[in-house]
Amino acid sequence: MGTSTDRAEAKAERARGRERQRAANALLLGPVRSRLAAASALTALSSLCAVVPFILIAEVCRELLGPAPDWDRTWTLLLVSLGILGLRGLLSSVALLWSHLIDSEHQFTLRRLLARKLSRVPLGWFTERSSGEVKKHLQGDVEALHYLVAHARLEFVAAVTLPVATLVYLFVVDWRLSIVVTATLAGYAVVMSRIMGEGYTEKIASYEQWNAKVSASTIEFVDGIQVVRAFGQPRRGHHRYQRAIEGYSAFYTAWVTPITRLEGFGSLLLNPVVVMVLVLVAGLGLIGAAGARPDVLIPFIFLGLGIGGSVLALGYGAQALRQASAAAVRLWELTETPDLTDPADGPVPGSGLVRFEDVSFGYREGHLVLRGIDLELRPGTITALVGPSGSGKSTLARLLPRFFDVTAGRITVDGHDIRTLRSRDLYRSVGFVLQDVQLIAGTVRENLLLGRPDADDDAVERATRAAQIHDRILELPRGYDSEIGVDARLSGGEAQRLSIARALLADAPILVLDEATAFADPESEAAIQDALAVLVASRTVLVIAHRLHTIADVDHVVVLDEGRVVEQGPPAQLREGGGLFSRLWQANGRALQEVEEVASAPTTAVDNTEEVSA
Ligand code: ADP
């Protein structure tokens, strides 16, 4: 019972996969399909032209070994075969050139489609993915489609045409010997179908998952290596990496060992020597028993031996097509991501009164991480979001700049649902400074001007001075014209102050801050706190507080637990209230005390300031 349900589910999943593939091919390859088909036809013709000279030369040999060679026919056959070889060269160059022309146009359209899509997906699409994943889409998957359009399709067509044309000729020469050749190919096909049979797709999916796991743990290992070694525990960082490698190698060995045996047997069947021995044995039998002419063996020795190689090429071609098809599906899924709606016209918010009205949100359907949130952020006040790790603070804060849209309820700015505002107006009203500071490739000045391109030098300097980063910028080799990552290498704290300056310059009346100082060094922390003090003055501010001692002076605290608001009010009142906030506050006090004790102890240098709310 269970297995038949499983089978039905697997069948339905395969059907969905095929549907996705069809949709992906229609969208991404549809525009070039007819031209690609024409280039494929040209390739098929060119492959035929590759086989025909061999056939003619085999015929020449048969003619010469016959009882009365016809020299005129021999020369004609040789000249024709030379002519066809020349034609093949011409046809294959034209097909390749044509496919590359189709591809360059296709790449242009595809990249434009993706660039447009990326400018419309919600910002949260990027935070949900590592930069490695985004790069895989934009580089790896696009390249896979290039390979598909410019090479793989044509190579596949050639790999099919060659053996088929050869077999047709061989059957014309002698169907009995051809059956021997066909039997070896059929044997190979059976072996391959066993390899690619049930569970292959799932195995490939697991293989990709293991690969992703290994590369993630490699990056983690390499990124963390300095810290781990600095604390004298090189083995510690090793563990996850080692576990991933061991898991991968166990999976790979279990999967590939039986396949390798089968594959070895399959390759043996296509081995030219094996095919030659089989053909010779069968041929000798045929000559002895049925009185066939010995020259019947010549075409089989000329052409039959090469057929295995072209079938192997077919396997590689099919693999390349499969990979390109998977890339097409991934790109199609990206194009299917719903756009962030951006109305052409909308109200322009003013003072910055923000309301969350009965807001619920889930990243996945049926799994809410925020439920029934009612909040009011008044202009000129700072509201701190507090709660255990995973309670939904970052999610809630990211809904205001529309990293994601609410699942239910609404968020308003001055009474207007934020979904009705033009995104330009929304981002003029709502600025954000998040922990993972994003600086674009370009100069320091270009980064600062992102929020207000028309700001003059005085305004820029006022912002950088207020954010305590002006002096540091002047120390860079080319000052404000230094390029990020080239001659402007900034520490984490400095990059944060630069992003605060950028927010100051953009001058949005509403600000979302992920308490940006969590990982800064003490000196930077003081500078960042001063910069933030300037930034938040007279704005509507929502700050995600990871450490409670930094929010003692805020106007309003909202305590989240498991996606609900469990308490809210002024911090002094909540501290005495005996609820979750007062417990977190006490835990925070104890942690701070421990940190101070550790810091004042003479021998240790370990910073153990963990996120108290965790
Ligand atoms: P906090 O900021 O309080 O630590 P988060 O808002 O980061 O909490 O997370 C709230 C819940 O949402 C957690 O269960 C977390 O696992 C989940 N979550 C956070 N980000 C994502 C995401 N991009 N996709 C799916 N689930 C997420």
Side-chain angles (χ1 to χ4, degrees), residues 128 363 369 388-395 404:
E128 280 185 319
Y363 289 97
V369 296
S389 185
S391 57
K393 304 182 292 292
S394 307
T395 306
F404 305 96

Side-chain angles (χ1 to χ4, degrees), residues 124 127-129 361-364 367-370 386-398 404 514 544 546 560 563 611 613:
T127 46
E128 280 185 319
R129 286 162 180 80
F361 174 77
Y363 289 97
R364 284 177 282 123
H367 185 79
L368 292 179
V369 296
L370 294 173
V386 171
S389 185
S391 57
K393 304 182 292 292
S394 307
T395 306
L396 177 61
R398 281 171 166 77
F404 305 96
D514 199 338
I544 305 169
H546 295 284
L560 284 182
E611 193 179 315
S613 54

